[in-house]
Amino acid sequence: MDKYKVSILTGVNETKIYELNKREPIGKEVLVKVDCCAICTLEQRVYDGVRKLYPFAGGHEIAGTVEKLGEDVKNIKIGDKVAVRTLNTCGECYYCRSGNENQCVVSYKSTIHEGFLGPGGFAEYVMVNAKSIYKVADDVDLKHAALTEPLACCIHSVNQADINLGDDVVVVGVGIMGALHIQLSKLKGARVIACEIDDSRLEVAKKMGADVVINSTDMNNVISEINKLTDNRGADVVFCTVPSTQVASDCIKITGKLGRAIMYTSFHPDNPVEVSVNHIHSSEMVITGAVSPKNVDFLTATKLISNKSIDLSHLITSTEKLCNIDEAYKKALSPTAYRIIVESAK
Ligand SMILES: [Zn+2]
Ligand SMILES: [Zn+2]
């Protein structure tokens, strides 16, 4: 029987390649040859031992080529280039039925390789249900298609912000998520002000199209710059992409009347912050969050990537082969890295 390779996280700073049996897809299943899979935060935390989920089949930012189809698959062809959505939702709960499946009460990451928990994108092949497959244009670089999931998360966040033409949008933090928020806000017609403590990341912000960049080491400076830029109104929209509750509190301070403050990231540690509810009352500002994309956000992400409306080239720091995945994890853990892509090609 044909075999395929899969990389499994087996301990702190430890991975192993396993060989599993390849099988034929049945029903709605699709066999995808993985070309690229990006390393996200979850896999980094398992690799460095912050989350000890061993053994774990990591890799949920998957792009590849359709190799074989089950007999009931109708809308996908062999040879299609695709992004794979690995977050499954139940379709039965209140939130799924009200069109908010990102809030599904039983959402889970599929187990793709027999015997191993996890989304399993660091492998030569994945077998997935057709509903998890999103086609991209034939001329798309699959390294870019591997960033569909992070882009979809940011699309959901930007949709929460309800940006109008000419709005002043502040993006705090220019990691990959901040960089994507900058580009998406520009597509929505905003003036984008990027804040970041690292000057090299402010250079990335400029490449992403930010109109104004501010070094945010001194938050008082940020507040006075934003007041200057907005005639003391404050920002229409602020995205917090930095996992610090102090920064979250500052984001609320720079949001103006009728403004929207979006807590994009999760916060560690989750220290409570003080807010003036009277200020919320009188300013009618909205403080909200964004967690996981809906299916439509994933679809929109594949459209933006297929149409080349988003520039992902600056956000891929390097590419490693599956057999060198330890090297890829080490690079991903560097604070200067954006995305590291693992290529599965033989
Ligand atoms: Zn991810
Ligand atoms: Zn559900």
Side-chain angles (χ1 to χ4, degrees):
M1 192 181 274
D2 254 9
K3 302 263 186 191
Y4 71 97
K5 291 190 173 78
V6 51
S7 167
I8 303 291
L9 286 151
T10 48
V12 180
N13 298 333
E14 188 188 283
T15 67
K16 234 184 239 169
I17 299 272
Y18 284 78
E19 296 215 336
L20 302 180
N21 290 331
K22 225 171 140 185
R23 65 173 179 84
E24 297 294 311
I26 50 168
K28 286 275 188 192
E29 287 179 335
V30 179
L31 181 69
V32 177
K33 183 178 105 32
V34 178
D35 290 271
C36 298
C37 185
I39 299 182
C40 189
T41 317
L42 169 66
E43 290 84 15
Q44 292 174 40
R45 292 294 89 86
V46 180
Y47 187 76
D48 69 11
V50 173
R51 297 187 66 181
K52 295 189 170 59
L53 296 173
Y54 315 111
F56 184 70
H60 63 270
E61 298 181 357
I62 306 170
T65 315
V66 173
E67 185 158 299
K68 282 184 182 173
L69 302 170
E71 63 282 8
D72 296 334
V73 178
K74 303 282 183 252
N75 284 307
I76 298 162
K77 295 190 310 296
I78 289 171
D80 278 353
K81 286 185 170 185
V82 296
V84 180
R85 176 156 162 80
T86 58
L87 183 74
N88 282 322
T89 51
C90 74
E92 295 166 16
C93 75
Y94 179 89
Y95 301 100
C96 281
R97 288 190 169 163
S98 60
N100 298 290
E101 66 280 353
N102 63 317
Q103 292 286 349
C104 176
V105 290
V106 289
S107 69
Y108 57 96
K109 293 221 159 101
S110 359
T111 290
I112 286 182
H113 306 291
E114 215 180 331
F116 296 105
L117 274 180
F122 300 129
E124 288 172 335
Y125 289 92
V126 290
M127 184 77 81
V128 287
N129 190 288
K131 72 177 183 192
S132 305
I133 298 275
Y134 290 69
K135 188 175 159 30
V136 295
D138 291 334
D139 62 347
V140 161
D141 181 341
L142 284 169
K143 289 197 218 49
H144 296 180
L147 301 187
T148 300
E149 192 259 358
L151 179 60
C153 290
C154 297
I155 288 169
H156 178 59
S157 174
V158 167
N159 286 341
Q160 296 285 81
D162 194 17
I163 297 170
N164 294 305
L165 289 170
D167 272 358
D168 283 315
V169 170
V170 178
V171 177
V172 179
V174 190
I176 182 167
M177 299 305 178
L180 293 172
H181 275 85
I182 294 169
Q183 288 197 56
L184 292 168
S185 302
K186 285 302 293 177
L187 286 177
K188 290 273 189 183
R191 173 170 67 168
V192 177
I193 303 155
C195 301
E196 164 63 57
I197 56 174
D198 180 332
D199 283 330
S200 64
R201 289 192 164 195
L202 286 176
E203 289 305 312
V204 175
K206 286 184 199 159
K207 286 184 192 150
M208 299 294 105
D211 299 279
V212 182
V213 298
I214 305 174
N215 186 303
S216 51
T217 309
D218 175 4
M219 205 58 204
N220 289 327
N221 176 45
V222 173
I223 293 169
S224 76
E225 285 297 315
I226 286 167
N227 281 338
K228 248 188 261 168
L229 288 162
T230 61
D231 287 334
N232 291 318
R233 287 192 309 274
D236 298 300
V237 171
V238 182
F239 293 107
C240 182
T241 76
V242 177
S244 145
T245 51
Q246 179 56 52
V247 175
S249 165
D250 293 334
C251 286
I252 294 167
K253 280 186 202 138
I254 56 178
T255 305
K257 280 182 190 242
L258 304 167
R260 281 84 65 201
I262 319 294
M263 302 303 150
Y264 171 78
T265 181
S266 56
F267 295 88
H268 311 282
D270 183 20
N271 299 324
V273 298
E274 260 183 25
V275 289
S276 155
V277 283
N278 224 11
H279 178 60
I280 296 173
H281 158 72
S282 60
S283 67
E284 299 187 338
M285 68 152 58
V286 174
I287 303 172
T288 186
V291 65
S292 298
K294 298 181 186 185
N295 294 334
V296 65
D297 303 318
F298 212 90
L299 179 68
T300 304
T302 54
K303 283 157 77 178
L304 293 181
I305 291 172
S306 291
N307 298 347
K308 326 288 181 303
S309 304
I310 288 277
D311 180 5
L312 298 165
S313 56
H314 300 290
L315 305 178
I316 295 168
T317 302
S318 66
T319 305
E320 292 289 339
K321 297 268 182 254
L322 187 63
C323 56
N324 286 335
I325 195 165
D326 281 274
E327 203 47 46
Y329 280 121
K330 282 176 198 143
K331 285 187 177 170
L333 286 167
S334 152
T336 57
Y338 280 91
R339 273 295 187 266
I340 309 293
I341 304 270
V342 178
E343 275 184 328
S344 302
K346 286 179 192 173

